[in-house]
């Protein structure tokens, strides 16, 4: 079998929109508002912006430079840098793939709520409805033997959509979907924010963003929270930026694009927070519930608090409710397809499997794993997956990537790659950040994540984590040992 033709973005705007779409995900909509509120309100923006510039953009530039220079998959790039590093690439990609399997489940829950929001079918007690009717959740792992048909069906729909996108040519699939969904997503957010500002009590909420707690700036945990938000919001170390940059044509302005993407992503989550806080302010005034009792993150905010808000909003809820859940759906889809692209690319490149077949195999395996989360114990297992893979495995992978690209690879070649066509230049300061500052910050975040994950885990959770640990060790080694059908895989410079 001969090597397939290398894919390439048909325009820089397609790349930028795909990158923004990959970054704008569930974390922007329901994680950032809680992180902002819990870490000093307005004063949190100082460590947040510093983290964005000093650490977030810096690591994105590493991924851009490596992907653009080699124009190969992460697996082949690490093999070229040092043959024994190939298992690290499969380790990173396996983490990303496993994260996608439960991420799709959450997007599937949202798909259910797009339908429910049309009639407010969650009733007067959204909390009970979500856990009992939608998830049919159990308190023990024994619930894994019970399938929840509605959740399973919604997960299948999301995986089918991802397969339908990924099996197509790069520009026809990811490119076109990004150019369609991203503008719609932004328009929906503008409508929601504009409407939320007209609600009684909106100022109770949005003033939280502009009311600083300056004492928070002396708290190390606040700075770690800011950096953590940047890591997860920009999907650092997940091979997305590296993969997408590998599809760029020669002459691309890498640094300029990185700044545009990073600022667009941060602008989105800050702007979105104004709407979220305004709506919660309305809820606080209407019900008398203290504002701090309403601010939460994740599924609690989206599937419990907001349905409660829509219950008291009146006729407008019939419009704002579906728009809100569509917003989450579109953000989830653009992020999920980006997560899978890097996985598909590495598999396709090493084993010379055509794009459509690779997408089919990856999506089928992904769906089968996702069925675990469509059981009575699904939400319980999902929580363990999320805590372990994000707080432990992913941060560890990013730390390894920092060491590889900062210390093992010839770093100065990356500087030249970035500066060749960009209007904005990088130099020794950026090099120092990647080699010294970024690894220290990641290490601090990782230690904090490991401690919080282990100390809050029960015996069932620890068992699941142990199984995941074995999988994350064995599977990457197996993939690295498998013979490559692509003979050029062992010579990435070709």
């Amino acid at each position: 079998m001969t090597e397939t033709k290398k894919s390439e973005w048909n325009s820089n705007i397609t790349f930028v929109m795909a990158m923004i779409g990959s970054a704008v995900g569930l974390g922007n909509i329901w994680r950032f508002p809680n992180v902002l509120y819990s870490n000093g309100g307005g004063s949190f923006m100082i460590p947040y912006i510093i983290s964005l510039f000093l650490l977030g953009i810096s690591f994105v530039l590493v991924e851009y430079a490596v992907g653009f220079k080699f124009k190969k998959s992460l697996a082949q790039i690490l093999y070229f840098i040092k043959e024994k590093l190939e298992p690290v690439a499969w380790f990173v990609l396996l983490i990303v793939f496993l994260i996608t399997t439960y991420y799709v489940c959450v997007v599937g829950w949202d798909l259910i709520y797009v339908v429910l929001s049309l009639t407010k079918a969650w009733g007067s007690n959204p909390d009970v409805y979500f856990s009992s009717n939608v998830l049919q959740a159990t308190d023990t792992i024994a619930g894994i033997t019970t399938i929840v048909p509605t959740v399973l069906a919604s997960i299948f729909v999301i995986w089918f959509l991802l397969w339908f996108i990924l099996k197509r040519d790069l520009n026809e699939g990811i490119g076109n979907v990004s150019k369609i969904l991203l503008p719609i997503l932004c328009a929906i957010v503008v409508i929601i924010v504009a409407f939320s500002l007209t609600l009684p009590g909106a100022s109770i909420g949005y003033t939280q963003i502009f009311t600083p707690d300056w004492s928070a700036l002396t708290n190390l945990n606040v700075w770690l929270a800011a950096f953590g938000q940047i890591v997860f919001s920009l999907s650092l170390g997940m091979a997305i930026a590296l993969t997408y940059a590998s599809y760029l044509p020669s002459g691309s302005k890498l640094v300029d694009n990185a700044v545009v993407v990073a600022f667009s992503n941060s602008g989105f989550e800050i702007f979105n927070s104004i709407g979220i806080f305004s709506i919660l302010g309305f809820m606080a005034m209407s019900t008398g519930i203290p504002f701090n009792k309403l601010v939460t993150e994740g599924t609690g905010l989206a599937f419990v608090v907001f349905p409660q808000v829509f219950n008291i909003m009146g006729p407008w809820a019939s419009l704002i409710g579906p728009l809100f859940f569509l917003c989450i759906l579109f953000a989830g889809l653009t992020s999920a397809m980006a997560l899978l692209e890097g996985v598909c690319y590495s598999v396709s490149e090493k084993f010379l499997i055509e794009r459509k077949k690779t997408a089919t195999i990856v999506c089928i395996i992904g769906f089968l794993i996702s069925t675990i989360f469509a059981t009575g114990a699904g939400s319980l297992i999902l929580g363990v997956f999320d805590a372990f893979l994000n707080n432990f495995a992913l941060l560890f992978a990013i730390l390894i990537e920092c060491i590889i690209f900062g210390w093992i690879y010839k770093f100065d070649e990356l500087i030249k790659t970035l500066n060749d066509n960009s209007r904005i230049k990088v130099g020794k300061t950026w090099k120092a950040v990647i080699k010294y500052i970024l690894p220290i910050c990641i290490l601090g975040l990782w230690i904090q994540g490991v401690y919080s994950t282990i100390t809050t885990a029960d015996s069932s959770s620890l068992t699941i984590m142990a199984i995941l640990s074995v999988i994350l060790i064995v599977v990457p080694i197996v993939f690295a040992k498998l013979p490559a059908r692509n003979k050029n895989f062992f010579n990435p410079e070709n």
Side-chain angles (χ1 to χ4, degrees):
M1 183 182 291
T2 58
E3 189 173 1
T4 56
K5 183 181 178 181
K6 171 71 179 179
S7 298
E8 189 172 277
W9 298 112
N10 56 17
S11 69
N12 190 68
I13 189 64
T14 303
F15 164 73
V16 170
M17 294 188 78
M19 276 302 307
I20 295 174
S22 73
V24 173
L26 305 185
N28 301 71
I29 297 172
W30 67 33
R31 187 178 191 272
F32 180 75
N34 182 63
V35 173
L36 172 62
Y37 180 77
S38 303
N39 291 279
S43 58
F44 177 76
M45 296 308 300
I46 294 176
Y48 174 78
I49 292 172
I50 291 175
S51 296
L52 174 64
F53 274 101
L54 189 63
L55 305 172
I57 295 177
S58 294
F59 194 78
V60 168
L61 288 175
V62 172
E63 295 195 82
Y64 275 19
V66 172
F68 184 77
K69 177 178 173 59
F70 286 95
K71 295 191 179 299
K72 300 293 181 181
S73 67
L74 178 63
Q76 192 174 7
I77 291 170
L78 293 193
Y79 179 92
F80 171 74
I81 292 175
K82 196 174 184 64
E83 183 177 340
K84 293 181 179 179
L85 291 178
E86 189 191 343
V88 174
W90 295 111
F91 173 70
V92 172
L93 294 168
L94 180 58
I95 293 170
V96 172
F97 178 64
L98 291 174
I99 287 175
T100 309
T101 61
Y102 72 79
Y103 191 90
V104 165
C105 180
V106 178
V107 180
W109 294 346
D110 178 74
L111 178 61
I112 294 171
Y113 270 76
V114 171
V115 178
L116 295 177
S117 65
L118 298 174
T119 59
K120 300 182 192 175
W122 48 69
S124 60
N125 196 333
D127 191 359
V128 172
Y129 186 88
F130 178 59
S131 61
S132 300
N133 293 62
V134 177
L135 302 184
Q136 298 178 29
T138 60
D139 296 329
T140 65
I141 198 70
I144 197 171
T145 59
T146 304
I147 292 291
V148 183
T150 308
V151 175
L152 183 63
S154 65
I155 289 175
F156 175 80
V157 170
I158 301 301
W159 274 112
F160 177 81
L161 289 174
L162 291 172
W163 169 78
F164 187 76
I165 296 167
L166 291 169
K167 75 182 182 72
R168 296 175 176 274
D169 174 76
L170 178 69
N171 293 290
E172 291 179 0
I174 293 175
N176 285 342
V177 170
S178 298
K179 288 192 289 187
I180 293 170
L181 291 190
L182 190 62
I184 295 174
L185 174 61
C186 292
I188 290 174
V189 171
V190 169
I191 292 171
I192 292 175
V193 172
F195 172 77
S196 68
L197 292 173
T198 67
L199 292 171
S203 60
I204 297 174
Y206 68 70
T207 52
Q208 301 293 331
I209 301 176
F210 308 106
T211 305
D213 175 11
W214 298 114
S215 64
L217 295 179
T218 60
N219 187 337
L220 177 60
N221 289 330
V222 171
W223 289 84
L224 287 175
F227 182 45
Q229 177 61 28
I230 293 298
V231 168
F232 298 121
S233 182
L234 288 176
S235 303
L236 301 184
M238 301 179 80
I240 294 174
L242 184 149
T243 302
Y244 278 9
S246 74
Y247 299 143
L248 278 170
S250 58
S252 298
K253 297 177 174 59
L254 300 181
V255 183
D256 304 36
N257 284 336
V259 172
V260 170
V261 171
F263 270 86
S264 297
N265 175 69
S266 293
F268 178 93
E269 60 187 9
I270 293 171
F271 184 71
N272 175 72
S273 293
I274 295 174
I276 298 290
F277 281 159
S278 297
I279 292 173
L280 294 181
F282 161 73
M283 180 71 171
M285 191 195 77
S286 302
T287 63
I289 300 174
F291 187 83
N292 64 332
K293 299 293 184 182
L294 296 172
V295 182
T296 181
E297 65 174 308
T299 56
L301 178 65
F303 304 131
V304 176
V305 175
F306 264 77
Q308 290 173 342
V309 173
F310 298 140
N311 279 347
I312 64 172
M313 187 176 283
W316 280 104
S318 299
L319 172 63
I320 300 301
L323 285 178
F324 173 75
F325 291 112
L326 277 176
C327 180
I328 296 175
L329 178 65
F330 293 161
L333 281 174
T334 55
S335 294
M337 66 187 189
L339 290 169
L340 289 173
E341 177 64 19
V343 178
C344 290
Y345 184 21
S346 284
V347 172
S348 178
E349 189 174 60
K350 180 169 184 176
F351 303 110
L352 276 185
I353 305 173
E354 63 178 3
R355 184 180 184 91
K356 182 177 181 179
K357 187 174 181 180
T358 304
T360 302
I361 294 170
V362 168
C363 288
I364 288 175
I365 296 173
F367 170 71
L368 293 176
I369 296 175
S370 292
T371 58
I372 298 172
F373 310 114
T375 65
S379 59
L380 178 67
I381 299 173
L382 190 150
V384 178
F385 267 61
D386 184 48
F388 178 79
L389 292 173
N390 277 294
N391 295 338
F392 182 85
L394 180 59
L395 289 173
F396 183 64
I398 297 173
L399 181 61
I400 295 175
E401 289 180 70
C402 285
I403 295 171
I404 291 172
F405 297 129
W407 291 92
I408 298 177
Y409 183 65
K410 300 173 184 178
F411 196 84
D412 288 339
E413 292 188 13
L414 299 183
I415 295 177
K416 182 180 184 303
T417 299
L418 289 172
N419 288 341
D420 274 348
N421 300 293
S422 301
R423 287 187 290 265
I424 306 171
K425 308 294 183 182
V426 297
K428 293 182 179 179
T429 301
W430 177 63
K431 182 177 180 178
V433 168
I434 300 302
K435 290 174 71 74
Y436 304 105
I437 300 176
L438 189 56
I440 291 172
C441 292
I442 289 288
L443 181 61
L445 200 61
W446 181 72
I447 292 172
Q448 183 190 57
V450 171
Y451 177 78
S452 64
T453 301
I454 293 177
T455 55
T456 57
D458 56 22
S459 57
S460 296
S461 298
L462 290 173
T463 301
I464 296 172
M465 291 178 190
I467 295 172
L468 284 172
S469 298
V470 173
I471 292 172
L472 287 173
I473 293 172
V474 174
V475 174
I477 294 174
V478 170
F479 266 79
K481 293 294 184 181
L482 288 174
R485 297 180 67 187
N486 179 5
K487 301 309 177 184
N488 286 331
F489 183 84
F490 303 107
N491 186 15
E493 290 189 316
N494 283 348

